[in-house]
Amino acid sequence: MDRVRRFKLLLWSICGLAFAVAFRRFLLGLGSSTNLNDGTPWGLWVGFDVMGGVALAAGGFVITATVYILKKEEFHPIVRPAVLTAFLGYAAVAVGLLADLGLPWHIWHPTIYWQHHSALFEVAWCVMLYLTVLALEFLPVPLESFPRLGKIRNFLVKNRLILVILGIMLSTLHQSSLGTLFLIMPYRLHALWYTPILPLLFFISAISLGLMMVSMESLITSYLYRREPETHLLTKLCKVAAWVLGGYLIVRILDLLVRGEYLAIFENSWQSWWFIIEILISAIIPIVLFTSKLTRGKLGWITLGVVSGVSGFVLNRLNVGGIAMAGTTDSFYFPAWTEFAISAGVVSGAALVFLFAIEHFNVWEHPPRDEEDEKPYTLPRFAPVGTIWLGDPHTAGMKRNSMAFVVAAAFGFSLLPFSSLESKGLIKTPANSARGKDIMQIDANRDGFFVTFDHKKHENSLGQTQSCAVCHHAKLPADEQTSCAACHQDVYLVTCIFDHEKHKTWLGGNQSCTQCHPAGQNRSVDTAVECNHCHNAEDASLVLAVQESPIRMDQLNMAGSYVDAMHGLCVTCHKEIAERIYRPLHGTCTTCHPFVAEESKYEWDKLTQTTASPRWVISTPLLQENIDVEKLKESVAAQ
Amino acid sequence: MLEFWLELAKGPIFRFSFALCVLGLARIVMLSAWGAAKAYYAAGDKELPYSLIWRTTIHWLFPIRMGLRNRPFFSIVSILFHIGLIIVPIFLFAHIQLWYQGAGLWWPAIPRHLAEFLTVTTILSAILLFLARVWSSASRHISRGQEFMWPLLLIIPFLSGFFCSHPAWSPLSYNAMLLIHILSGNFILLLIPLTKISHCILTPFSQFISELGWHFPKNSAKDVEITLGKQGQPI
């Protein structure tokens, strides 16, 4: 049991870490916990948890079909573990899907809102139905411990064949329809992976993967519980798996030949090497190890083959689900560590349930025996630190595991920044000052789209040297050509400009608090005195320019965003003059932002597609003034 | 450098200790409930005066009247100590501001003067409690190391917090004092579920269990001995 104990400790720790990550994911959303983007909306959670999970759960229908339909009774000892693995695999899919759905509380929608043109609709129904079927298939095992519910158990056992047939039917539909999902993206998926027979390939590979997964599960549990490995059965399973794998390999190669895409294997790109690696570890290595006279029937080689095959097919699902699209989407995506944590946590949770079921029900012929349980009453213990009562030793495992969970979760929380501002929703765009002197180029975010501002002309028309204060905060302390960007530091976000540290230093350090914060009151912005308490007419050197500016005193600490400040400054004046001189064009956006209409289509496309500046497009006055963007696009295209 | 450590103490270290405190306490409660349920199902004779046990449990959870009868000075000081200990960290305005900035949570604060008064009473009563424990030989003999440590450890965040709100009297710079304050607070949060401070959530359980023990039927200890097969041995 020592191996199991250590393994469980590890699993509980991973679950704890995943708990912290899940907390954040469900509180703050996908953007805060994944690296997904519009180019790659399906990442690790779909590729591994959903597609990998379903494929790994294929052992259930393969083994039940072998035992109950083909009547190969020799495989009977592994039916229960296989069904349990399948059930937990599908449950893990459902949990992983909850994490991946943007609105997880809509997961029940496919049951009511039917969209029968969608492959995902079929997938959703198959998962739901097959999960139910698997639950009913496995239910007789735990029911053995409840003699009172014998009637239900008898009913389920009597109708087992129906459930088995249903299971095979739903699996066939479902394993293949996961491949169907990708049939709509022939240009997105690389030619080595995209094929019209993807559903067939998914189904065949699921059968072989199911066989290998059952072997792997048997190998792991026999290692953990120090049982005699079922080498005889495993050899037979692997032999069948090798046959299926051979079929898969032939179909895949033939498909490439028929489609004429086989040359892509030799084009020496990363995709071609990736394809070769995938085929090698998913099919060729297992086939060789399972059939060669030297290696078959030997536990070490079987283990190697099974591990290679299973990881190869998980890689295959990841490739189809995303990696093989990277070449065409041109968007970089590598899963965040939080995504790995959730995936690992879901798998660990399923493994823990599996171990629990093995230890408490007759998944095997007899549950494994724990020496700790067999000792009669031992003396109670006290924890060495803090001498807390640890209770009887029989719950020691529970205490140990829960402690591992708690510590790992706390560690996870410490790694995750818990502020919604940290998510990718608000990217900071530092503002830069304008370039030039007489004719200025104002391009605060340096994206190449600037407003041409004739400084000389404005100076002349507003009243020569006396006019600076019309636009500038001329009375800012020590103002010498202070750039707007000095205070309006972000293009879209407000900036706090009150420098607490500097004021503290000016006023005399730690003893100066009460000069602004009244004694005996809680110290905050709300209770502090207003700025003009000191910055008033009595001392001319301290008078703030802001008192004469349109900035409101109650927002004194905050400088508006650069865009808002500039627009407030320019547009207000421009509109006024436009009305006065009866020239409405003088007050429209395109007067200053001409590039929107004049720039080439390429520039426009660049502007609208840049992922970094969707807010730019929204905050552009162009859209605020209800100009029809579609029409504009069309006219640009016509030019 | 100090700013870096402050950020670390306010951010990751605080989140670690706070999460460990909350989850650790939840863990202890669940384990206790599990143990109690297990003992209940294992017990043979379940005929106990439960309504009486409930009533006395709740009665003893607020031991003001009964505590005053026995060692009144110690009881009053202890109650004062607990009032400040619980109220000040939770309802201090500056702490609530931190919660508001970090998580958007907000709840009413106590006035500044009250907070300062309670801080001082807590510090003084902690010292008195420590002295009383050292003074009385009976207390000294039943005390473990952590019993002497806790009053002194709890003084640190309160004293440093007091200096943080009165930087003029502080022997160290504001940031250094703040770092001591935050780190000691984090350390205490960390220790809560691992030491006897877990009584902040376990008291109802232990009180209930000990009340149960008082109302066991006669000679039940003998039955336990026989069931365990441990007659004449320590259990």
Side-chain angles (χ1 to χ4, degrees):
Chain A
M1 297 301 280
D2 53 333
R3 284 174 182 168
V4 190
R5 236 172 263 143
R6 256 174 273 150
F7 189 59
K8 276 190 195 165
L9 209 60
L10 178 73
L11 292 179
W12 275 104
S13 313
I14 297 173
C15 283
L17 197 65
F19 172 80
V21 176
F23 189 84
R24 177 183 167 87
R25 183 256 164 272
F26 287 110
L27 197 70
L28 301 178
L30 285 174
S32 65
S33 37
T34 67
N35 278 348
L36 296 172
N37 53 45
D38 288 348
T40 316
W42 281 7
L44 183 73
W45 291 344
V46 169
F48 179 74
D49 291 14
V50 176
M51 291 174 48
V54 166
L56 293 175
F61 85 92
V62 177
I63 298 297
T64 49
T66 315
V67 173
Y68 295 116
I69 308 285
L70 302 178
K71 295 285 177 192
K72 302 271 185 202
E73 282 297 325
E74 55 196 318
F75 292 109
H76 201 270
I78 50 170
V79 169
R80 285 179 167 191
V83 172
L84 181 58
T85 316
F87 173 67
L88 291 174
Y90 270 81
V93 168
V95 177
L97 200 60
L98 273 181
D100 190 66
L101 289 177
L103 306 173
W105 52 94
H106 283 182
I107 196 168
W108 54 273
H109 270 198
T111 53
I112 308 288
Y113 305 108
W114 285 23
Q115 172 48 283
H116 46 267
H117 297 297
S118 165
L120 267 180
F121 175 67
E122 189 195 337
V123 173
W125 267 103
C126 284
V127 170
M128 285 187 288
L129 290 175
Y130 191 43
L131 194 58
T132 318
V133 168
L134 280 171
L136 292 177
E137 266 186 82
F138 186 68
L139 203 56
V141 179
L143 281 184
E144 281 172 4
S145 315
F146 301 95
R148 252 187 266 168
L149 300 171
K151 270 188 187 167
I152 302 176
R153 185 182 129 74
N154 288 342
F155 177 78
L156 287 173
V157 172
K158 217 181 271 174
N159 294 299
R160 181 184 282 148
L161 204 59
I162 300 174
L163 290 174
V164 169
I165 293 171
L166 267 178
I168 296 168
M169 194 181 84
L170 289 166
S171 288
T172 313
L173 278 171
H174 178 207
Q175 297 286 354
S176 56
S177 61
L178 276 178
T180 316
L181 282 183
F182 297 91
L183 287 184
I184 63 168
M185 36 188 95
Y187 304 108
R188 198 178 150 99
L189 197 57
H190 190 270
L192 282 173
W193 284 274
Y194 179 81
T195 155
I197 58 162
L198 257 183
L200 182 67
L201 285 179
F202 264 52
F203 180 64
I204 303 177
S205 60
I207 295 177
S208 59
L209 183 58
L211 292 166
M212 288 192 283
M213 193 58 203
V214 172
S215 320
M216 189 160 162
E217 166 265 308
S218 161
L219 282 167
I220 293 177
T221 45
S222 53
Y223 170 79
L224 286 178
Y225 290 99
R226 294 179 188 278
R227 293 173 89 216
E228 189 65 28
E230 299 154 317
T231 319
H232 178 61
L233 270 182
L234 292 179
T235 315
K236 278 187 180 164
L237 278 177
C238 290
K239 201 175 148 194
V240 182
W243 276 102
V244 183
L245 280 173
Y248 167 77
L249 197 61
I250 291 169
V251 173
R252 190 127 191 223
I253 303 287
L254 273 181
D255 165 66
L256 282 174
L257 290 173
V258 170
R259 282 190 298 122
E261 299 284 359
Y262 56 94
L263 284 176
I265 306 174
F266 310 106
E267 70 183 11
N268 200 21
S269 61
W270 69 263
Q271 285 105 335
S272 66
W273 283 109
W274 202 234
F275 175 81
I276 292 169
I277 292 172
E278 185 205 303
I279 289 291
L280 206 64
I281 62 173
S282 68
I284 294 173
I285 291 180
I287 291 177
V288 171
L289 289 178
F290 295 159
T291 52
S292 158
K293 268 188 184 168
L294 280 173
T295 51
R296 74 175 171 219
K298 285 174 188 154
L299 205 63
W301 292 112
I302 290 181
T303 314
L304 186 67
V306 162
V307 169
S308 157
V310 168
S311 45
F313 278 113
V314 170
L315 181 64
N316 169 259
R317 298 304 196 258
L318 286 173
N319 283 340
V320 176
I323 298 176
M325 297 175 191
T328 39
T329 55
D330 212 19
S331 68
F332 180 77
Y333 162 79
F334 188 80
W337 73 267
T338 43
E339 287 175 74
F340 285 112
I342 291 262
S343 289
V346 170
V347 174
S348 307
L352 281 172
V353 179
F354 186 86
L355 296 182
F356 176 85
I358 274 188
E359 286 169 18
H360 291 83
F361 307 124
N362 294 323
V363 176
W364 295 334
E365 282 177 21
H366 303 289
R369 283 154 64 183
D370 189 345
E371 308 101 43
E372 218 171 73
D373 267 346
E374 287 177 4
K375 285 177 206 157
Y377 295 92
T378 30
L379 276 179
R381 292 181 302 180
F382 287 90
V385 180
T387 48
I388 283 187
W389 162 242
L390 274 181
D392 66 313
H394 303 281
T395 53
M398 202 155 72
K399 291 193 164 78
R400 213 170 28 227
N401 292 336
S402 57
M403 196 65 211
F405 180 90
V406 167
V407 171
F411 183 64
F413 277 113
S414 79
L415 287 182
L416 293 165
F418 256 89
S419 163
S420 47
L421 289 176
E422 301 272 354
S423 78
K424 295 197 171 168
L426 292 168
I427 300 168
K428 286 187 177 157
T429 318
N432 292 289
S433 55
R435 285 171 287 186
K437 187 166 171 274
D438 290 344
I439 293 184
M440 299 174 101
Q441 294 180 331
I442 301 174
D443 172 19
N445 56 354
R446 293 282 192 269
D447 69 344
F449 297 103
F450 48 78
V451 173
T452 315
F453 177 76
D454 194 334
H455 189 266
K456 198 79 187 163
K457 199 172 156 192
H458 278 83
E459 197 186 314
N460 290 341
S461 63
L462 292 175
Q464 301 300 342
T465 47
Q466 301 298 312
S467 64
C468 303
V470 175
C471 303
H472 293 282
H473 300 292
K475 288 179 187 168
L476 269 178
D479 184 39
E480 287 173 8
Q481 295 180 332
T482 308
S483 157
C484 310
C487 291
H488 306 282
Q489 285 164 12
D490 193 280
V491 180
Y492 309 106
L493 306 175
V494 292
T495 318
C496 177
I497 50 165
F498 178 75
D499 196 330
H500 188 267
E501 274 308 303
K502 270 188 187 159
H503 277 79
K504 205 173 92 181
T505 318
W506 287 328
L507 295 173
N510 283 342
Q511 309 194 11
S512 63
C513 305
T514 46
Q515 290 189 39
C516 299
H517 302 282
Q521 277 190 25
N522 293 319
R523 288 167 193 162
S524 76
V525 188
D526 305 327
T527 52
V529 295
E530 289 192 354
C531 302
N532 54 10
H533 184 77
C534 299
H535 297 276
N536 53 31
E538 283 171 29
D539 186 347
S541 68
L542 285 178
V543 174
L544 287 176
V546 283
Q547 284 174 331
E548 294 164 16
S549 75
I551 299 176
R552 285 158 55 199
M553 284 303 278
D554 56 347
Q555 293 181 346
L556 201 56
N557 293 321
M558 293 299 184
S561 71
Y562 190 86
V563 165
D564 286 346
M566 286 300 126
H567 281 159
L569 198 63
C570 307
V571 178
T572 325
C573 221
H574 265 249
K575 280 193 171 164
E576 233 172 64
I577 294 171
E579 273 181 28
R580 204 168 64 221
I581 61 175
Y582 304 114
R583 283 177 66 186
L585 273 179
H586 192 265
T588 56
C589 307
T590 43
T591 314
C592 297
H593 299 279
F595 62 86
V596 174
E598 288 171 7
E599 290 292 335
S600 67
K601 182 177 182 295
Y602 169 74
E603 290 294 329
W604 172 257
D605 284 351
K606 206 173 114 191
L607 172 71
T608 48
Q609 283 178 0
T610 314
T611 45
S613 55
R615 274 164 292 117
W616 194 93
V617 176
I618 292 162
S619 65
T620 287
L622 181 79
L623 299 187
Q624 288 166 5
E625 304 235 333
N626 298 327
I627 293 173
D628 194 337
V629 184
E630 289 303 316
K631 236 179 210 172
L632 195 74
K633 264 183 172 174
E634 277 168 22
S635 70
V636 173
Q639 284 169 19
Chain B
M1 194 59 197
L2 210 53
E3 278 76 16
F4 168 75
W5 280 104
L6 265 177
E7 284 304 309
L8 207 65
K10 274 187 201 171
I13 299 179
F14 170 74
R15 284 198 297 272
F16 181 80
S17 345
F18 187 74
L20 195 83
C21 175
V22 172
L23 294 174
L25 288 177
R27 162 184 177 265
I28 289 179
V29 168
M30 280 182 218
L31 286 176
S32 309
W34 174 263
K38 223 179 155 189
Y40 181 79
Y41 284 113
D45 186 2
K46 291 172 189 170
E47 292 296 315
L48 287 171
Y50 279 107
S51 63
L52 178 67
I53 292 173
W54 277 118
R55 252 185 292 127
T56 38
T57 304
I58 292 166
H59 195 58
W60 272 101
L61 281 181
F62 303 95
I64 296 171
R65 204 154 49 100
M66 280 172 271
L68 290 182
R69 230 177 282 154
N70 183 16
R71 302 180 72 192
F73 173 74
F74 191 82
S75 302
I76 290 172
V77 173
S78 173
I79 287 168
L80 272 181
F81 176 68
H82 278 86
I83 288 175
L85 198 63
I86 294 167
I87 288 181
V88 176
I90 299 178
F91 294 101
L92 188 76
F93 180 80
H95 289 181
I96 299 174
Q97 284 284 304
L98 286 175
W99 278 105
Y100 183 68
Q101 284 166 13
L105 300 174
W106 183 87
W107 56 91
I110 53 169
R112 190 181 163 84
H113 283 313
L114 179 61
E116 291 190 347
F117 173 73
L118 285 177
T119 306
V120 175
T121 54
T122 308
I123 294 171
L124 291 179
S125 54
I127 295 170
L128 287 176
L129 281 180
F130 177 73
L131 292 178
R133 196 173 276 283
V134 178
W135 195 261
S136 146
S137 69
S139 293
R140 216 164 48 229
H141 276 102
I142 58 165
S143 298
R144 295 164 289 174
Q146 59 163 319
E147 256 103 4
F148 294 110
M149 179 200 75
W150 270 109
L152 299 180
L153 185 59
L154 285 169
I155 289 176
I156 300 174
F158 277 83
L159 201 61
S160 55
F162 185 78
F163 281 135
C164 279
S165 81
H166 295 279
W169 302 340
S170 167
L172 295 172
S173 78
Y174 175 76
N175 279 352
M177 203 42 104
L178 194 61
L179 186 63
I180 293 174
H181 178 70
I182 298 173
L183 283 182
S184 58
N186 286 346
F187 187 55
I188 286 168
L189 280 178
L190 202 66
L191 288 184
I192 284 177
L194 304 176
T195 57
K196 70 160 194 166
I197 304 300
S198 52
H199 75 256
C200 66
I201 200 125
L202 281 186
T203 307
F205 284 91
S206 52
Q207 202 66 51
F208 181 70
I209 299 293
S210 62
E211 284 301 329
L212 271 183
W214 282 112
H215 294 90
F216 271 176
K218 266 185 199 168
N219 298 332
S220 53
K222 283 240 168 59
D223 294 342
V224 173
E225 265 187 11
I226 293 165
T227 319
L228 298 181
K230 282 195 172 271
Q231 289 101 320
Q233 290 178 43
I235 295 177

